[in-house]
């Protein structure tokens, strides 16, 4: 049975189904994204979600202890598989304690997703 995902809104069920890095899971849980169209990459149509402003950001989960004054994020995800292709966040924060707020931009890009296949290692049979 193929997995199915709701892509009209990035709700908690989709966020919990994303099997990716902890940073991505924490970001998706802490940010209220809204659907913002789609892009085509490598012949696949990917869903784009955006968040702007600090109102939809839970700093209890993400950027703990920081005073975030500005925030934006873009998430690009394959609606058929739930695999994240891009996660970009930009925040203005006091994190660096430099006496004035600094803007930090973080971008995670995943390319050639699904382009390789890995066979089950032989030692798995020893566990059975």
């Amino acid at each position: 049975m193929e997995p199915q995902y709701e892509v009209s809104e990035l709700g908690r069920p989709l966020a919990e189904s994303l099997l990716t890095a902890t940073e991505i899971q924490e970001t998706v849980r802490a940010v209220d994204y809204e659907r913002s169209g789609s892009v085509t990459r490598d012949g696949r149509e990917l869903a784009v979600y955006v968040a702007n402003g600090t109102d939809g950001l839970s700093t209890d989960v993400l950027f703990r202890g920081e005073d975030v004054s500005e925030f934006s994020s873009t998430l690009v995800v394959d609606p058929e598989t739930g695999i994240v292709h891009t996660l970009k966040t930009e925040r203005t924060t006091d994190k660096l304690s430099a006496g004035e707020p600094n803007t930090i931009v973080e971008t995670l890009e995943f390319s050639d997703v699904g382009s390789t296949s890995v066979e089950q290692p032989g030692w798995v049979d020893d566990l059975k």
Side-chain angles (χ1 to χ4, degrees):
M1 182 170 134
E2 290 292 318
Q4 296 181 354
Y5 302 95
E6 174 61 44
V7 295
S8 60
E9 292 183 275
L10 186 62
R12 296 302 177 246
L14 176 58
E16 291 169 5
S17 70
L18 297 173
L19 302 176
T20 53
T22 301
E23 183 176 350
I24 293 173
Q25 290 178 353
E26 287 179 354
T27 303
V28 170
R29 288 187 181 119
V31 177
D32 289 332
Y33 286 97
E34 292 184 10
R35 181 72 187 262
S36 179
S38 60
V39 295
T40 302
R41 290 194 189 151
D42 300 324
R44 294 194 59 87
E45 188 170 319
L46 305 176
V48 178
Y49 294 88
V50 297
N52 289 299
T54 58
D55 290 344
L57 172 65
S58 172
T59 54
D60 294 342
V61 177
L62 196 64
F63 315 129
R64 291 176 192 92
E66 293 183 34
D67 180 16
V68 178
S69 58
E70 294 180 35
F71 179 80
S72 66
S73 182
T74 301
L75 177 71
V76 179
V77 61
D78 187 322
E80 292 181 19
T81 63
I83 294 174
V84 172
H85 287 251
T86 304
L87 173 63
K88 178 179 180 180
T89 62
E90 183 172 329
R91 71 188 188 277
T92 301
T93 177
D94 66 346
K95 178 181 179 177
L96 301 177
S97 301
E100 61 184 53
N102 290 283
T103 300
I104 299 173
V105 179
E106 297 175 310
T107 304
L108 294 173
E109 288 277 346
F110 300 91
S111 59
D112 298 325
V113 176
S115 64
T116 61
S117 61
V118 178
E119 293 184 22
Q120 180 174 307
W123 54 263
V124 172
D125 289 333
D126 297 338
L127 297 175
K128 295 178 182 178

